Amino acid sequence: MAEPQQALSRTFPVKPKLKAKSKKPSKTPESKYWSSFKSHTIPNLISSITSLSFSPATPHHFAAAYSTSLTLFNSQTLEPISSISSFKDVVSCASFRSDGLLIAASDHSGLVQVFDVKTRTALRKLRGHTRPVRLVRYPRSDKLHLFSGGDDAVVKYWDVAAESGVVEFRGHKDYVRCGDGSPASSELFATGSYDHTVKVWDVRVSNSDAAMEINHGKPVEDVIFLPSGGLIATAGGNCVKIWDVIGGGKLLYSMENHNKTVTSICVGKIGRDGGEGSEQYRVLSVGLDGYMKVFDYSKFKITHSMRFPAPLLSIGFSPDCATRAIGTSNGVIFAGKRKVKGDVESGLREFPSLGLMEEPQRRVLRPSYFRYFHRSQGEKPSEGDYLITRPKKVKMAEHDKLLKKFRHKDAFVSALSGKNPENVVAVMEELVARKKLLKCVSNLDTEELALLLAFLHRHSTVPRYAGLLMGLTKKVVQIRAEDIIASDVLKGHIRNLKRSVEEEVRIQQSLQEIQGIISPLLRIAGRR
């Protein structure tokens, strides 16, 4: 007999069954990773940020091209280091050499210049384009050559040391806007144009024909090789497409999650080199709609999205996965810095004079200390530990306590006296399950019945509660008809209830008329 009594003594608070579910999605581990970049705004850069480029060499500083200047920023402090202002026209693009010692930049005058990063002096000036140059890139591992393209629809491959062109490609029919070098070979690179095509060039081929041509379908704003070298990502219009280069330029997937033109894409990596998840690469895209999207091209799905308050033109991601920079059309850079465990060690390597600080020695705990009796209470359990938790004390509301004592009418009146309609409906559902609701209604006095009619007047037409309350309203009128006729107060509640029901009926009729008008139009639109 002890077991049934113990089972009956366990009680739970009444919860509403019609409670609306939260529409806010829970954050995934990857969303938490991308949200962990602490935002930092770099304002007042005069004009649009047309290009962002990170140095491949440690500590991975980045360069921002805007107006007639090229500014280098520290990737750790996000503060400007130096600025190159020896341009005669608007700077359009910049690219670091693989060792990070030189940087090439192009401008709208058609000139390509190579600068020493430390001294900011122009070492080479490459002249050959007749229109603004929009693209300049160093190959991934080649230190002696670079390629460029511009509004003259010409792509040039340069010998930087000799300050002369090696090969000239004339396959595009419109402005050349972007390009990238292949990680598999320094002699292969791809360029994108406003003629809707992406062409893959091989400088070892004697003629000027492209080794491969891909039709994106819209003006190409950006193109990048993915780390394997066998895939290419192209951006144009409101979509980003993934192509298989080894398979002959086959389209693998088209991502159309942006509302406006996608202006720039880059490759990001989760984690640090040698760490967990270090080979999980993502494609990061930005557009004029102000959104940054993170695309997992191994699973072909969007894993994270972030909104910014301005149209976005450029994006860059550091090779050490610690810094992200996004350039906007109003001269603001939204930089993000992520804390990593190696920052302390790297700081000591950079400033060896600081040395390592010795940790202060803590006193041995003894039973005479207060901390002795609170030791290890903040420790987290390990994998092999057994975690024993105390049962949480159930907080019971007044109507729950009365239901526990089987005082059904008092519980019903207590819920009606409160201001939470969910609790009232939950108590009603519990009384229906116990088959006591109509009996409670028949035992209500005049004041309590007035409370019930006022509640029905306010909430009987609410869609979440209408299924239960409309049926209850009908039963209340039938059971307590004589009491309602004898009381003027109850008659007033009934008149209010009748008006609200009639208004709801009129609204539903109007909605049906509107539905009848719209349905044929939707069918006609669907046939087109």
Coordinates of all heavy atoms in Angstrom, one line a residue, residues 236-316:
G236 N 28.0 36.5 -58.3 CA 27.4 37.4 -59.3 C 25.9 37.4 -59.2 O 25.3 36.4 -58.9
G237 N 25.3 38.6 -59.3 CA 23.9 38.7 -59.1 C 23.7 38.4 -57.6 O 24.4 38.9 -56.7
N238 N 22.6 37.7 -57.3 CA 22.3 37.4 -55.9 C 22.7 36.0 -55.5 O 22.2 35.4 -54.5 CB 20.9 37.6 -55.6 CG 20.0 36.7 -56.3 OD1 20.3 36.1 -57.4 ND2 18.8 36.4 -55.8
C239 N 23.6 35.3 -56.2 CA 23.9 33.9 -56.0 C 25.4 33.7 -56.0 O 26.2 34.4 -56.6 CB 23.3 33.0 -57.0 SG 23.8 33.3 -58.7
V240 N 25.8 32.6 -55.3 CA 27.2 32.1 -55.2 C 27.1 30.7 -55.7 O 26.3 29.9 -55.3 CB 27.8 32.2 -53.8 CG1 29.2 31.5 -53.8 CG2 27.8 33.6 -53.3
K241 N 28.0 30.4 -56.7 CA 28.0 29.0 -57.3 C 29.3 28.3 -57.1 O 30.4 29.0 -57.1 CB 27.7 29.1 -58.8 CG 26.3 29.7 -59.1 CD 26.0 29.7 -60.6 CE 24.6 30.3 -60.9 NZ 24.2 30.3 -62.3
I242 N 29.2 27.0 -57.0 CA 30.4 26.2 -56.8 C 30.5 25.3 -58.0 O 29.6 24.6 -58.5 CB 30.3 25.2 -55.5 CG1 29.9 26.1 -54.3 CG2 31.5 24.5 -55.3 CD1 31.0 27.1 -53.9
W243 N 31.8 25.3 -58.6 CA 32.1 24.6 -59.9 C 33.2 23.6 -59.7 O 34.1 23.9 -58.9 CB 32.5 25.6 -61.0 CG 31.5 26.8 -61.2 CD1 31.5 27.9 -60.5 CD2 30.4 26.8 -62.1 NE1 30.5 28.7 -61.0 CE2 29.8 28.1 -62.0 CE3 30.0 26.0 -63.1 CZ2 28.7 28.5 -62.8 CZ3 28.9 26.3 -63.9 CH2 28.3 27.6 -63.7
D244 N 33.1 22.5 -60.4 CA 34.1 21.5 -60.3 C 35.0 21.7 -61.5 O 34.7 21.4 -62.7 CB 33.4 20.1 -60.4 CG 34.4 18.9 -60.2 OD1 35.6 19.2 -60.1 OD2 34.0 17.8 -60.3
V245 N 36.3 22.1 -61.2 CA 37.2 22.4 -62.3 C 37.8 21.1 -62.9 O 37.9 20.9 -64.1 CB 38.4 23.2 -61.8 CG1 39.4 23.5 -62.8 CG2 37.9 24.6 -61.2
I246 N 38.0 20.1 -62.0 CA 38.6 18.8 -62.5 C 37.5 18.1 -63.3 O 37.9 17.4 -64.3 CB 39.0 18.0 -61.3 CG1 40.1 18.7 -60.5 CG2 39.5 16.6 -61.7 CD1 40.5 18.0 -59.2
G247 N 36.2 18.3 -63.0 CA 35.2 17.6 -63.8 C 34.8 18.4 -65.0 O 33.7 18.1 -65.6
G248 N 35.6 19.3 -65.5 CA 35.3 20.0 -66.7 C 34.4 21.3 -66.5 O 33.8 21.7 -67.5
G249 N 34.4 21.8 -65.4 CA 33.5 23.0 -65.1 C 32.1 22.7 -64.9 O 31.2 23.5 -65.2
K250 N 31.8 21.6 -64.2 CA 30.4 21.2 -63.9 C 29.9 22.0 -62.7 O 30.6 22.2 -61.7 CB 30.4 19.7 -63.6 CG 29.1 19.1 -63.2 CD 29.1 17.7 -62.8 CE 27.8 17.1 -62.4 NZ 27.9 15.7 -62.0
L251 N 28.7 22.4 -62.8 CA 28.1 23.2 -61.7 C 27.6 22.2 -60.6 O 26.9 21.2 -60.8 CB 26.8 23.9 -62.2 CG 26.0 24.7 -61.1 CD1 26.9 25.8 -60.4 CD2 24.8 25.3 -61.7
L252 N 28.1 22.4 -59.3 CA 27.8 21.5 -58.2 C 26.6 22.1 -57.4 O 25.8 21.3 -57.0 CB 29.0 21.3 -57.3 CG 30.2 20.7 -57.9 CD1 31.4 20.6 -56.9 CD2 29.9 19.3 -58.5
Y253 N 26.6 23.4 -57.2 CA 25.6 23.9 -56.3 C 25.5 25.4 -56.5 O 26.5 26.1 -56.9 CB 25.9 23.7 -54.8 CG 24.7 24.0 -53.9 CD1 23.6 23.2 -53.7 CD2 24.8 25.2 -53.2 CE1 22.6 23.5 -52.9 CE2 23.7 25.5 -52.3 CZ 22.6 24.7 -52.2 OH 21.6 25.0 -51.3
S254 N 24.2 26.0 -56.4 CA 24.0 27.4 -56.5 C 23.3 27.9 -55.2 O 22.2 27.4 -54.9 CB 23.1 27.7 -57.7 OG 22.9 29.1 -57.8
M255 N 24.0 28.8 -54.5 CA 23.4 29.3 -53.3 C 22.8 30.7 -53.6 O 23.5 31.6 -54.0 CB 24.5 29.5 -52.2 CG 24.0 30.0 -50.9 SD 25.4 30.6 -49.8 CE 25.9 32.0 -50.7
E256 N 21.5 30.8 -53.4 CA 20.8 32.1 -53.7 C 20.1 32.6 -52.4 O 18.9 32.8 -52.4 CB 19.8 31.8 -54.8 CG 20.4 31.3 -56.1 CD 19.4 31.1 -57.2 OE1 18.2 31.4 -56.9 OE2 19.7 30.6 -58.3
N257 N 20.9 32.8 -51.4 CA 20.4 33.3 -50.1 C 20.5 34.8 -49.9 O 20.0 35.3 -48.9 CB 21.1 32.6 -48.9 CG 20.7 31.1 -48.9 OD1 21.2 30.3 -49.7 ND2 19.9 30.8 -47.9
H258 N 21.1 35.5 -50.8 CA 21.2 37.0 -50.7 C 20.0 37.6 -51.5 O 19.5 37.0 -52.5 CB 22.5 37.5 -51.3 CG 23.7 37.2 -50.4 ND1 24.1 38.1 -49.4 CD2 24.6 36.2 -50.4 CE1 25.1 37.6 -48.8 NE2 25.5 36.5 -49.3
N259 N 19.6 38.8 -51.0 CA 18.5 39.5 -51.6 C 19.0 40.4 -52.7 O 18.2 40.8 -53.6 CB 17.7 40.3 -50.6 CG 17.1 39.4 -49.5 OD1 16.7 38.3 -49.8 ND2 17.1 39.8 -48.3
K260 N 20.3 40.8 -52.6 CA 20.8 41.8 -53.6 C 22.2 41.2 -54.1 O 22.6 40.1 -53.7 CB 21.0 43.2 -53.0 CG 19.7 43.9 -52.7 CD 19.9 45.3 -52.1 CE 18.6 45.9 -51.8 NZ 18.8 47.3 -51.3
T261 N 22.9 42.0 -54.9 CA 24.1 41.5 -55.5 C 25.1 41.1 -54.5 O 25.4 41.9 -53.5 CB 24.7 42.7 -56.4 OG1 23.7 43.0 -57.4 CG2 25.9 42.2 -57.1
V262 N 25.8 40.0 -54.7 CA 26.9 39.5 -53.9 C 28.1 40.2 -54.4 O 28.5 40.1 -55.6 CB 27.0 38.0 -54.0 CG1 28.2 37.5 -53.1 CG2 25.7 37.3 -53.5
T263 N 28.8 40.9 -53.6 CA 30.0 41.7 -54.0 C 31.3 41.1 -53.8 O 32.3 41.4 -54.5 CB 29.9 43.1 -53.3 OG1 29.9 42.9 -51.9 CG2 28.7 43.9 -53.8
S264 N 31.5 40.2 -52.8 CA 32.8 39.7 -52.5 C 32.6 38.3 -51.7 O 31.6 38.2 -51.0 CB 33.6 40.6 -51.6 OG 34.9 40.1 -51.3
I265 N 33.5 37.4 -52.0 CA 33.6 36.1 -51.3 C 35.0 35.8 -50.9 O 36.0 36.3 -51.4 CB 33.0 35.0 -52.1 CG1 33.7 34.9 -53.5 CG2 31.5 35.1 -52.3 CD1 33.3 33.8 -54.3
C266 N 35.2 35.0 -49.8 CA 36.5 34.6 -49.4 C 36.3 33.2 -48.7 O 35.2 32.8 -48.4 CB 37.2 35.6 -48.5 SG 36.5 35.7 -46.8
V267 N 37.5 32.6 -48.4 CA 37.5 31.3 -47.7 C 37.8 31.5 -46.3 O 38.8 32.2 -46.0 CB 38.5 30.3 -48.4 CG1 38.6 29.0 -47.6 CG2 38.0 30.0 -49.8
G268 N 37.0 30.9 -45.4 CA 37.3 31.0 -43.9 C 37.5 29.6 -43.4 O 37.0 28.6 -44.0
K269 N 38.2 29.5 -42.3 CA 38.5 28.2 -41.7 C 38.1 28.2 -40.3 O 38.4 29.1 -39.6 CB 40.0 27.8 -41.9 CG 40.3 26.4 -41.5 CD 41.8 26.0 -41.9 CE 42.8 26.9 -41.3 NZ 44.2 26.5 -41.7
I270 N 37.5 27.1 -39.8 CA 37.1 27.0 -38.4 C 38.3 26.4 -37.6 O 38.8 25.3 -38.0 CB 35.9 26.1 -38.2 CG1 34.7 26.8 -38.9 CG2 35.6 25.9 -36.8 CD1 33.4 26.0 -38.8
G271 N 38.7 27.1 -36.5 CA 39.7 26.6 -35.7 C 41.1 27.1 -36.2 O 41.2 27.8 -37.1
R272 N 42.1 26.6 -35.5 CA 43.5 27.0 -35.8 C 44.2 25.8 -36.4 O 43.8 24.7 -36.4 CB 44.2 27.5 -34.5 CG 43.6 28.6 -33.8 CD 44.5 29.1 -32.7 NE 45.6 29.8 -33.3 CZ 46.6 30.2 -32.5 NH1 46.6 30.1 -31.2 NH2 47.7 30.8 -33.1
D273 N 45.4 26.1 -37.1 CA 46.2 25.1 -37.7 C 46.6 24.0 -36.7 O 47.1 24.4 -35.6 CB 47.4 25.7 -38.3 CG 47.0 26.5 -39.6 OD1 46.0 26.2 -40.1 OD2 47.8 27.4 -39.9
G274 N 46.3 22.8 -37.0 CA 46.6 21.7 -36.1 C 45.6 21.5 -35.0 O 45.7 20.5 -34.2
G275 N 44.6 22.3 -34.9 CA 43.6 22.2 -33.8 C 42.4 21.4 -34.3 O 42.3 21.0 -35.4
E276 N 41.5 21.3 -33.4 CA 40.3 20.6 -33.7 C 39.5 21.3 -34.8 O 39.2 22.5 -34.6 CB 39.4 20.4 -32.5 CG 38.2 19.5 -32.7 CD 37.4 19.3 -31.4 OE1 37.8 19.8 -30.4 OE2 36.3 18.7 -31.5
G277 N 39.1 20.6 -35.8 CA 38.3 21.3 -36.9 C 39.1 22.2 -37.7 O 38.5 23.1 -38.4
S278 N 40.4 22.0 -37.8 CA 41.2 22.9 -38.6 C 41.0 22.8 -40.1 O 41.4 23.7 -40.8 CB 42.7 22.7 -38.2 OG 43.1 21.4 -38.6
E279 N 40.4 21.7 -40.5 CA 40.2 21.5 -42.0 C 38.8 21.8 -42.4 O 38.4 21.3 -43.5 CB 40.6 20.1 -42.3 CG 42.1 19.8 -42.1 CD 43.0 20.7 -42.9 OE1 42.7 21.1 -44.0 OE2 44.0 21.1 -42.3
Q280 N 38.0 22.4 -41.5 CA 36.6 22.7 -41.9 C 36.5 24.1 -42.5 O 36.5 25.1 -41.9 CB 35.7 22.7 -40.6 CG 35.6 21.3 -40.0 CD 34.6 21.2 -38.9 OE1 33.8 22.1 -38.7 NE2 34.8 20.2 -38.0
Y281 N 36.5 24.1 -43.9 CA 36.6 25.3 -44.6 C 35.1 25.8 -44.9 O 34.2 25.0 -45.1 CB 37.4 25.2 -45.9 CG 38.8 25.0 -45.7 CD1 39.4 23.7 -45.7 CD2 39.7 26.1 -45.5 CE1 40.8 23.5 -45.5 CE2 41.0 25.9 -45.3 CZ 41.6 24.6 -45.3 OH 42.9 24.4 -45.1
R282 N 35.0 27.1 -45.0 CA 33.7 27.7 -45.3 C 33.9 28.8 -46.3 O 35.0 29.4 -46.4 CB 33.0 28.3 -44.1 CG 32.8 27.3 -42.9 CD 31.7 26.3 -43.3 NE 31.4 25.5 -42.1 CZ 31.9 24.3 -41.9 NH1 32.8 23.8 -42.8 NH2 31.6 23.5 -40.9
V283 N 32.8 29.1 -47.1 CA 32.8 30.2 -48.0 C 32.0 31.3 -47.4 O 30.9 31.2 -47.0 CB 32.2 29.8 -49.4 CG1 32.1 31.1 -50.3 CG2 33.0 28.8 -50.1
L284 N 32.7 32.5 -47.2 CA 32.0 33.6 -46.6 C 31.7 34.6 -47.7 O 32.5 34.9 -48.6 CB 33.0 34.3 -45.6 CG 33.1 33.7 -44.2 CD1 33.8 32.4 -44.3 CD2 33.9 34.7 -43.3
S285 N 30.5 35.1 -47.8 CA 30.0 36.0 -48.8 C 29.3 37.2 -48.2 O 28.7 37.1 -47.2 CB 29.0 35.3 -49.8 OG 27.8 34.9 -49.1
V286 N 29.5 38.3 -48.9 CA 28.8 39.6 -48.4 C 28.2 40.2 -49.7 O 28.6 40.0 -50.8 CB 29.8 40.6 -47.8 CG1 30.4 40.1 -46.5 CG2 30.9 40.9 -48.8
G287 N 27.1 41.0 -49.4 CA 26.4 41.6 -50.5 C 25.8 43.0 -50.2 O 26.0 43.5 -49.1
L288 N 25.2 43.6 -51.2 CA 24.6 44.9 -51.0 C 23.4 44.9 -50.1 O 22.9 46.0 -49.7 CB 24.2 45.5 -52.4 CG 25.3 45.7 -53.4 CD1 24.8 46.3 -54.7 CD2 26.4 46.6 -52.8
D289 N 22.9 43.7 -49.7 CA 21.8 43.6 -48.8 C 22.2 43.8 -47.3 O 21.4 43.7 -46.4 CB 21.0 42.3 -49.0 CG 21.9 41.1 -48.9 OD1 23.1 41.3 -48.7 OD2 21.4 40.0 -49.0
G290 N 23.5 43.9 -47.1 CA 24.1 44.1 -45.7 C 24.3 42.8 -45.0 O 24.6 42.8 -43.8
Y291 N 24.1 41.6 -45.6 CA 24.3 40.3 -44.9 C 25.6 39.7 -45.2 O 26.1 39.8 -46.4 CB 23.2 39.4 -45.4 CG 21.9 39.6 -44.7 CD1 20.8 40.3 -45.2 CD2 21.6 39.0 -43.4 CE1 19.6 40.5 -44.6 CE2 20.4 39.2 -42.8 CZ 19.4 39.9 -43.3 OH 18.2 40.1 -42.7
M292 N 26.2 39.0 -44.2 CA 27.3 38.1 -44.4 C 26.8 36.7 -44.2 O 26.1 36.4 -43.2 CB 28.4 38.4 -43.4 CG 29.6 37.5 -43.6 SD 30.7 37.5 -42.1 CE 29.8 36.4 -41.0
K293 N 27.0 35.8 -45.2 CA 26.6 34.5 -45.1 C 27.8 33.5 -45.0 O 28.8 33.8 -45.7 CB 25.8 34.1 -46.3 CG 24.6 35.0 -46.6 CD 23.4 34.7 -45.7 CE 22.2 35.6 -46.1 NZ 21.0 35.3 -45.3
V294 N 27.6 32.5 -44.2 CA 28.7 31.5 -44.1 C 28.1 30.2 -44.7 O 27.1 29.7 -44.3 CB 29.1 31.2 -42.6 CG1 30.2 30.2 -42.5 CG2 29.6 32.5 -42.0
F295 N 28.8 29.7 -45.7 CA 28.3 28.5 -46.5 C 29.3 27.3 -46.4 O 30.5 27.4 -46.6 CB 28.2 29.0 -48.0 CG 27.8 27.9 -48.9 CD1 26.5 27.3 -48.8 CD2 28.6 27.4 -49.9 CE1 26.1 26.3 -49.6 CE2 28.2 26.4 -50.8 CZ 26.9 25.9 -50.6
D296 N 28.7 26.2 -45.9 CA 29.4 25.0 -45.8 C 29.3 24.2 -47.1 O 28.3 23.6 -47.4 CB 28.9 24.1 -44.6 CG 29.7 22.9 -44.4 OD1 30.6 22.6 -45.2 OD2 29.4 22.1 -43.5
Y297 N 30.3 24.3 -48.0 CA 30.2 23.7 -49.3 C 30.4 22.2 -49.3 O 30.1 21.6 -50.3 CB 31.2 24.4 -50.3 CG 32.6 24.3 -49.9 CD1 33.4 23.2 -50.4 CD2 33.3 25.2 -49.2 CE1 34.7 23.1 -50.0 CE2 34.6 25.1 -48.9 CZ 35.3 24.0 -49.3 OH 36.7 23.9 -49.0
S298 N 30.8 21.6 -48.2 CA 30.8 20.2 -48.1 C 29.4 19.6 -47.9 O 29.1 18.4 -48.3 CB 31.7 19.7 -47.0 OG 31.2 20.2 -45.7
K299 N 28.5 20.3 -47.2 CA 27.2 19.9 -47.0 C 26.1 20.7 -47.8 O 24.9 20.4 -47.7 CB 26.8 20.0 -45.5 CG 27.7 19.1 -44.6 CD 27.4 19.3 -43.2 CE 28.3 18.4 -42.3 NZ 27.9 18.6 -40.8
F300 N 26.6 21.7 -48.5 CA 25.7 22.6 -49.3 C 24.6 23.2 -48.5 O 23.4 23.0 -48.8 CB 25.2 21.8 -50.5 CG 26.2 21.3 -51.5 CD1 26.3 20.0 -51.9 CD2 27.1 22.2 -52.0 CE1 27.2 19.5 -52.7 CE2 28.1 21.7 -52.9 CZ 28.2 20.4 -53.3
K301 N 25.0 23.9 -47.4 CA 24.0 24.6 -46.6 C 24.6 25.8 -45.9 O 25.8 25.9 -45.7 CB 23.4 23.6 -45.6 CG 24.3 23.2 -44.5 CD 23.6 22.4 -43.4 CE 24.5 22.1 -42.3 NZ 23.8 21.3 -41.2
I302 N 23.7 26.8 -45.6 CA 24.1 28.0 -44.9 C 24.2 27.6 -43.4 O 23.2 27.1 -42.8 CB 23.1 29.1 -45.1 CG1 23.1 29.5 -46.6 CG2 23.5 30.3 -44.3 CD1 24.4 30.1 -47.1
T303 N 25.3 27.9 -42.8 CA 25.5 27.6 -41.4 C 25.4 28.8 -40.5 O 25.2 28.7 -39.3 CB 26.8 26.9 -41.1 OG1 27.9 27.8 -41.6 CG2 26.9 25.6 -41.9
H304 N 25.5 30.0 -41.0 CA 25.4 31.2 -40.2 C 25.1 32.4 -41.1 O 25.5 32.5 -42.2 CB 26.7 31.4 -39.4 CG 26.7 32.6 -38.4 ND1 25.9 32.6 -37.3 CD2 27.3 33.8 -38.4 CE1 26.1 33.7 -36.7 NE2 26.9 34.5 -37.3
S305 N 24.5 33.4 -40.5 CA 24.1 34.6 -41.2 C 24.2 35.8 -40.2 O 23.8 35.7 -39.0 CB 22.7 34.6 -41.8 OG 22.4 35.8 -42.5
M306 N 24.7 36.9 -40.7 CA 24.9 38.1 -39.8 C 24.5 39.4 -40.6 O 24.9 39.5 -41.8 CB 26.3 38.2 -39.3 CG 26.5 39.3 -38.3 SD 28.3 39.3 -37.7 CE 28.3 37.7 -36.8
R307 N 23.8 40.3 -40.0 CA 23.3 41.5 -40.6 C 24.2 42.7 -40.2 O 24.5 42.9 -39.0 CB 21.9 41.8 -40.3 CG 21.3 43.1 -40.9 CD 21.1 42.9 -42.4 NE 20.7 44.2 -43.0 CZ 19.5 44.6 -43.2 NH1 18.5 43.8 -42.7 NH2 19.2 45.7 -43.7
F308 N 24.5 43.6 -41.2 CA 25.3 44.8 -40.9 C 24.5 46.0 -41.4 O 23.7 45.9 -42.3 CB 26.6 44.8 -41.6 CG 27.6 43.8 -41.0 CD1 27.6 42.5 -41.5 CD2 28.4 44.1 -39.9 CE1 28.4 41.5 -40.9 CE2 29.3 43.1 -39.4 CZ 29.3 41.8 -39.9
P309 N 24.7 47.2 -40.8 CA 23.8 48.3 -41.1 C 24.2 49.1 -42.4 O 23.8 50.3 -42.5 CB 24.0 49.2 -39.9 CG 25.3 49.0 -39.4 CD 25.6 47.5 -39.7
A310 N 24.9 48.5 -43.4 CA 25.3 49.2 -44.6 C 25.5 48.2 -45.7 O 25.8 47.0 -45.4 CB 26.5 50.1 -44.3
P311 N 25.5 48.6 -46.9 CA 25.8 47.7 -48.0 C 27.3 47.3 -47.9 O 28.2 48.1 -47.6 CB 25.6 48.5 -49.3 CG 24.6 49.5 -48.9 CD 24.9 49.8 -47.5
L312 N 27.6 46.0 -48.1 CA 28.9 45.4 -48.0 C 29.6 45.2 -49.3 O 29.0 44.7 -50.2 CB 28.9 44.1 -47.2 CG 28.1 44.1 -45.9 CD1 28.1 42.8 -45.2 CD2 28.6 45.2 -44.9
L313 N 30.9 45.6 -49.4 CA 31.6 45.6 -50.7 C 32.8 44.6 -50.7 O 33.1 44.1 -51.8 CB 32.1 46.9 -51.1 CG 31.1 48.0 -51.3 CD1 31.8 49.3 -51.7 CD2 30.1 47.6 -52.3
S314 N 33.4 44.3 -49.6 CA 34.6 43.4 -49.5 C 34.6 42.7 -48.2 O 34.1 43.1 -47.2 CB 35.8 44.3 -49.7 OG 35.9 45.3 -48.8
I315 N 35.3 41.6 -48.2 CA 35.5 40.8 -47.0 C 36.9 40.1 -47.1 O 37.4 39.7 -48.2 CB 34.4 39.7 -46.9 CG1 34.5 39.0 -45.6 CG2 34.3 38.8 -48.1 CD1 33.3 38.1 -45.2
G316 N 37.5 39.9 -45.9 CA 38.7 39.2 -45.8 C 38.8 38.4 -44.5 O 38.2 38.8 -43.5

